[in-house]
Amino acid sequence: DDQIGYVLRRVTQRHLAIFAAAIPEVTTTQFAVLARLAEVGPLSQNHLGRATAMDAATIKGVVDRLAKLGFVETAADPDDRRRLTVSLTTDGAAIVSAKVATALQVSDDTLAPLTAQEATILKSMLLRLT
């Protein structure tokens, strides 16, 4: 029960449950893509995957699902027709705008059992493991 992978998985499950209750419209992975596009603008699907720490197969599936929801659109890059550019739709931009504060609160709620100092230390230590 004290193996790091097991503990991290349990913490992740808790975080995912908090997120799903607060933002049922999309998954955490989908929201990460929407938020990154809102932050930096349209990106190639490959670059978007790197920017959100997703492999090629994962980012393709996420983009496909977000496109079906009407939150992103893809278009062939005019300079390289083999490359897809992903951009937010009006609805995608609206959901990010409407839910960004909620997403930040989800992070706070996930860390709520810790003191502010403990939360800072935990985040710092986890970042060292990436």
Side-chain angles (χ1 to χ4, degrees):
D1 287 350
D2 65 351
Q3 294 298 303
I4 190 63
Y6 177 71
V7 173
L8 288 172
R9 186 170 56 80
R10 290 189 59 209
V11 171
T12 299
Q13 288 172 330
R14 180 174 174 275
H15 173 72
L16 293 174
I18 294 168
F19 186 95
I23 306 175
E25 297 88 350
V26 293
T27 66
T28 56
T29 306
Q30 291 169 340
F31 192 81
V33 167
L34 295 173
R36 184 65 63 187
L37 289 171
E39 179 184 6
V40 300
L43 291 171
S44 73
Q45 187 168 287
N46 185 287
H47 191 135
L48 181 57
R50 287 193 310 271
T52 55
M54 292 180 216
D55 61 44
T58 302
I59 193 63
K60 181 183 180 337
V62 172
V63 167
D64 288 349
R65 286 185 290 281
L66 286 171
K68 284 181 184 172
L69 291 169
F71 294 144
V72 300
E73 57 191 9
T74 60
D77 186 307
D79 297 327
D80 183 348
R81 306 286 297 167
R82 297 168 296 171
R83 185 181 342 189
L84 276 182
T85 298
V86 183
S87 56
L88 286 177
T89 62
T90 302
D91 288 346
I95 194 168
V96 172
S97 179
K99 299 294 182 172
V100 71
T102 304
L104 294 171
Q105 185 61 50
V106 166
S107 292
D108 290 346
D109 293 348
T110 300
L111 295 169
L114 305 176
T115 67
Q117 182 180 14
E118 288 170 335
T120 299
I121 292 168
L122 176 63
K123 288 186 279 187
S124 174
M125 293 171 75
L126 288 172
L127 285 170
R128 287 176 47 198
L129 295 174
T130 60

